[in-house]
Amino acid sequence: MLLILLSWIYIFFTAFGFGMAFSKALRFQQFEVVITPILGLFSITLFATVWAFFGPINILFHTVLLLFSILFWYNSKEVVTTVFQTLTQFSTFSFPIKILLCISSILILAQSATLPFIIDNESYYIQTVKWLNEYGFVKGLANLHLFFGQTSGWHITQSVFSFSFLYDRFNDLNGFCLLLGNFFAFEKLNSYFKNDKRLDLIFGLLPLTYVFLFQFVSAPSPDLPIYIFGFILFSYYLQREDKEAFIIIATLAFFAFFIKVTAVILLLFPLILLIKRFTTLKEKLFPVASIGVLVLILFISKNIILTGYPLFPLLSFRMSELDYAVPTIIMDFFFSKSMLHSFYIDGSSFANASFLDLARQYFLYNGLSGYIGIVSILMILIAPVLIFIQKSPKLWTIYFAFIALSILLFFSSAQYRFYVYFTLFFLLVVLSTLVSKPKWILRLCGISMLVVTVLILIPISFGSLTTNNLLVQNNTLHLENIVIPEPNSKWNPEFRGSSVGNMIYQTPVDDSFFWVTGNGKLPCVNEKQIQYFEHGFFYIPQQRSKDLKDGFYAQKISGHE
């Protein structure tokens, strides 16, 4: 915990410096302790993305980053002023809110020091960050493992702050992100206690969702920043319409899209605001559009390098002239409807399933997914009534965005974690109408903290919520974690060497999980996966040269080899 805390302090001041520079470039008049570091993370992510086309995110990058940070700090007296203003603001919080804020922040730190819970961390998060740290963007990396082709903008950010040249256990950007969201939430709750504004209460109740959100803390899952940025975006959209708010909303939407393409729905909010207030906001259209174009160019360029598909994961516009473009047959396999729905319905059942069968499975799947599906249906049914009663037209925008995203995901990749932040938002809208007295709000927040504490300290089986053996047990905090965090991977770290054609690679000895790569040395991929695509599609990954930086291509082999 202590080492993670030190890394967070560095991340905060680095991100704050870049955020100040970004804000000044766009002529902001106000600087906030939550939104400014997020704008800084966005700036750093874009900078690191450009860098990764030419080299690794290593100590040289950090040297340049540190020099820029010092420069921004030297020319930004407002940094110290903002920090002192935040401390003054904290002093005005009521005593119970101060206690809850401190306890929840310590719990976030403690959760960050435990073993990662998200299984995708073992399939591609760790390896994606390692490739960025050691080589930057690598041509045709998706031919080695298609998941590597996703390389989220958040993993680029994590590669900046993994400090791989210093220590091999920093994997905690999500904890820092939730820490910002935590302060945002209690700031809103304190504001509600003072001003009795219902919208502040909605966002102030965010800590009641921590039992769910904490599962995303100990690994760099791109889902968590989408949830936090989404809530902050909703707050700005509902409560402000000035020029700065427009830029912040647009930037949060661009950042979310760069992190996860399913967050494209958030781009509707700055667009709608621009249409409504065009006369006032038109002077900010050029800088906002310029940022959007830059994000799109980097997104397309990254995809071309990694996969040969400019709009990956869309299958359109394959650049077949690139020798490292992923073969169409493999892309078709991964992104077929039966594969995208395979997490809740097997291929044979999918082929014969009706629309109603798919809808039933989509929302009423067993375990945690089923519970979230039921709550989502309830929110879709209840939310219109509440919006009508509360007479808040802007809530309709969020509601229709929720409906649109649900429909889009139903026909593409129907996973609850892609839309659940809308479910959580409307759940908090419901709760804000049921619980409005401060004493009950504080009690519920206290219960939420207590449940999270139990989950962090006491081993519990989740066998009734999931059939995945890798997720049936929570990862708890140990005494040594007060100083030293757990490793970045919970997978057995034993690997062995293997080869296929001209490629020598590491494969996990425990290969019970088909997609596992863990924390193996580069290049690392499960041998079973290599054999599956060799015998099923007659393609094997090969190095383009002896230098791993030159990347990989898929070599077609005879079906008899």
Side-chain angles (χ1 to χ4, degrees):
M1 292 172 63
L2 179 60
L3 291 177
I4 294 174
L5 178 60
L6 292 174
S7 73
W8 283 357
I9 292 172
Y10 175 81
I11 294 172
F12 175 80
F13 284 104
T14 302
F16 206 102
F18 271 79
M20 292 288 291
F22 181 88
S23 300
K24 284 186 173 183
L26 294 170
R27 299 181 180 179
F28 278 28
Q29 300 300 316
Q30 301 179 35
F31 307 98
E32 302 175 27
V33 74
V34 172
I35 197 63
T36 303
I38 293 176
L39 297 178
L41 290 176
F42 176 65
S43 308
I44 292 170
T45 302
L46 297 185
F47 175 42
T49 301
V50 173
W51 184 285
F53 286 107
F54 304 99
I57 310 297
N58 57 12
I59 190 170
L60 177 60
F61 173 85
H62 274 275
T63 302
V64 176
L65 186 74
L66 182 59
L67 290 175
F68 273 118
S69 299
I70 294 172
L71 177 64
F72 296 149
W73 266 80
Y74 182 77
N75 291 309
S76 298
K77 297 178 182 178
E78 296 90 342
V79 176
V80 177
T81 302
T82 305
V83 172
F84 276 110
Q85 287 176 346
T86 302
L87 292 175
T88 302
Q89 181 185 20
F90 176 76
S91 68
T92 65
F93 288 2
S94 66
F95 181 73
I97 288 184
K98 287 180 182 176
I99 294 298
L100 286 170
L101 174 59
C102 291
I103 290 174
S104 56
S105 299
I106 292 171
L107 290 174
I108 293 170
L109 185 60
Q111 180 70 19
S112 298
T114 64
L115 283 171
F117 182 75
I118 299 296
I119 194 58
D120 283 347
N121 186 66
E122 310 301 332
S123 61
Y124 73 100
Y125 292 176
I126 297 173
Q127 290 289 311
T128 297
V129 172
K130 288 184 73 168
W131 278 105
L132 288 165
N133 284 147
E134 296 186 29
Y135 295 98
F137 293 137
V138 173
K139 292 178 180 178
L141 185 61
N143 287 303
L144 179 64
H145 192 312
L146 195 67
F147 292 4
F148 298 163
Q150 299 181 62
T151 304
S152 163
W154 195 242
H155 293 143
I156 297 172
T157 320
Q158 178 64 73
S159 73
V160 173
F161 296 113
S162 64
F163 309 109
S164 59
F165 54 91
L166 292 176
Y167 194 54
D168 63 355
R169 294 193 179 189
F170 288 127
N171 200 39
D172 312 295
L173 190 61
N174 272 24
F176 178 76
C177 179
L178 185 56
L179 197 69
L180 294 176
N182 192 48
F183 187 87
F184 160 80
F186 281 105
E187 182 182 37
K188 290 293 183 181
L189 189 59
N190 185 69
S191 177
Y192 169 73
F193 287 170
K194 289 183 177 180
N195 305 315
D196 198 33
K197 292 182 179 179
R198 182 71 62 177
L199 288 177
D200 284 336
L201 178 57
I202 294 172
F203 300 103
L205 293 177
L206 183 62
L208 300 185
T209 68
Y210 283 1
V211 173
F212 173 75
L213 293 183
F214 262 58
Q215 68 174 304
F216 299 96
V217 167
S218 53
S221 167
D223 295 305
L224 184 67
I226 299 299
Y227 303 160
I228 300 301
F229 297 167
F231 267 84
I232 296 174
L233 184 153
F234 295 158
S235 173
Y236 273 88
Y237 180 78
L238 292 171
Q239 297 181 297
R240 288 175 57 179
E241 292 187 345
D242 55 274
K243 297 174 185 178
E244 286 189 10
F246 170 60
I247 295 174
I248 290 171
I249 290 169
T251 303
L252 287 171
F254 292 146
F255 199 2
F257 170 75
F258 197 59
I259 289 171
K260 207 173 187 72
V261 71
T262 51
V264 66
I265 198 73
L266 296 180
L267 294 173
L268 285 175
F269 293 92
L271 179 62
I272 292 172
L273 186 57
L274 177 64
I275 294 172
K276 287 176 59 180
R277 308 271 296 180
F278 183 78
T279 303
T280 304
L281 302 177
K282 63 182 179 181
E283 67 179 75
K284 296 298 182 183
L285 180 57
F286 178 75
V288 167
S290 298
I291 296 170
V293 170
L294 175 60
V295 169
L296 183 61
I297 290 173
L298 293 178
F299 175 77
I300 290 174
S301 301
K302 169 180 70 73
N303 289 339
I304 290 173
I305 290 292
L306 296 171
T307 69
Y309 291 77
L311 300 179
F312 183 86
L314 298 181
L315 307 187
S316 307
F317 310 111
R318 180 179 186 268
M319 303 184 71
S320 54
E321 67 275 14
L322 299 176
D323 68 296
Y324 57 81
V326 178
T328 303
I329 189 174
I330 293 178
M331 289 287 285
D332 287 341
F333 165 75
F334 269 96
F335 295 103
S336 65
K337 288 186 177 180
S338 59
M339 185 67 174
L340 291 171
H341 289 74
S342 63
F343 72 96
Y344 70 85
I345 185 169
D346 61 78
S348 58
S349 300
F350 179 86
N352 300 314
S354 66
F355 177 85
L356 291 178
D357 292 331
L358 291 177
R360 188 183 303 112
Q361 286 292 93
Y362 179 31
F363 286 109
L364 303 177
Y365 184 60
N366 292 331
L368 179 62
S369 299
Y371 295 127
I372 292 175
I374 293 172
V375 173
S376 298
I377 292 175
L378 290 175
M379 292 306 102
I380 289 173
L381 296 175
I382 294 173
V385 178
L386 293 177
I387 297 172
F388 181 78
I389 293 174
Q390 294 187 11
K391 298 180 180 179
S392 180
K394 284 188 175 182
L395 283 174
W396 283 115
T397 306
I398 301 177
Y399 178 76
F400 286 122
F402 182 19
I403 298 297
L405 180 60
S406 299
I407 295 172
L408 178 66
L409 292 175
F410 180 81
F411 290 103
S412 57
S413 184
Q415 299 187 44
Y416 74 83
R417 57 196 176 93
F418 296 162
Y419 68 80
V420 72
Y421 58 108
F422 283 94
T423 302
L424 294 176
F425 173 78
F426 283 107
L427 179 62
L428 296 186
V429 171
V430 173
L431 289 175
S432 71
T433 63
L434 300 176
V435 183
S436 58
K437 293 184 178 180
K439 65 177 182 179
W440 281 107
I441 294 170
L442 293 174
R443 287 172 183 172
L444 288 175
C445 287
I447 292 172
S448 176
M449 298 304 121
L450 179 61
V451 174
V452 169
T453 301
V454 170
L455 292 174
I456 291 176
L457 298 179
I458 301 175
I460 297 175
S461 173
F462 299 119
S464 61
L465 295 178
T466 179
T467 57
N468 191 328
N469 292 329
L470 302 173
L471 302 177
V472 295
Q473 188 77 44
N474 60 322
N475 300 314
T476 56
L477 189 75
H478 302 99
L479 187 61
E480 62 268 22
N481 300 143
I482 295 176
V483 178
I484 301 173
E486 292 285 353
N488 292 348
S489 172
K490 67 178 178 180
W491 199 262
N492 189 327
E494 191 174 352
F495 294 84
R496 62 178 176 81
S498 187
S499 65
V500 56
N502 72 352
M503 188 181 78
I504 299 174
Y505 64 97
Q506 293 289 304
T507 181
V509 173
D510 178 4
D511 58 5
S512 56
F513 175 36
F514 185 76
W515 305 111
V516 69
T517 56
N519 201 14
K521 293 182 180 180
L522 305 183
C524 183
V525 64
N526 191 343
E527 186 176 51
K528 279 190 175 180
Q529 187 183 149
I530 298 290
Q531 293 172 348
Y532 179 84
F533 287 100
E534 178 180 357
H535 298 300
F537 301 102
F538 309 118
Y539 277 102
I540 58 173
Q542 294 290 276
Q543 292 181 210
R544 298 177 73 238
S545 74
K546 292 182 179 180
D547 186 355
L548 287 177
K549 173 61 180 175
D550 290 335
F552 303 86
Y553 70 98
Q555 179 179 325
K556 180 73 173 177
I557 61 173
S558 167
H560 300 289
E561 289 187 28

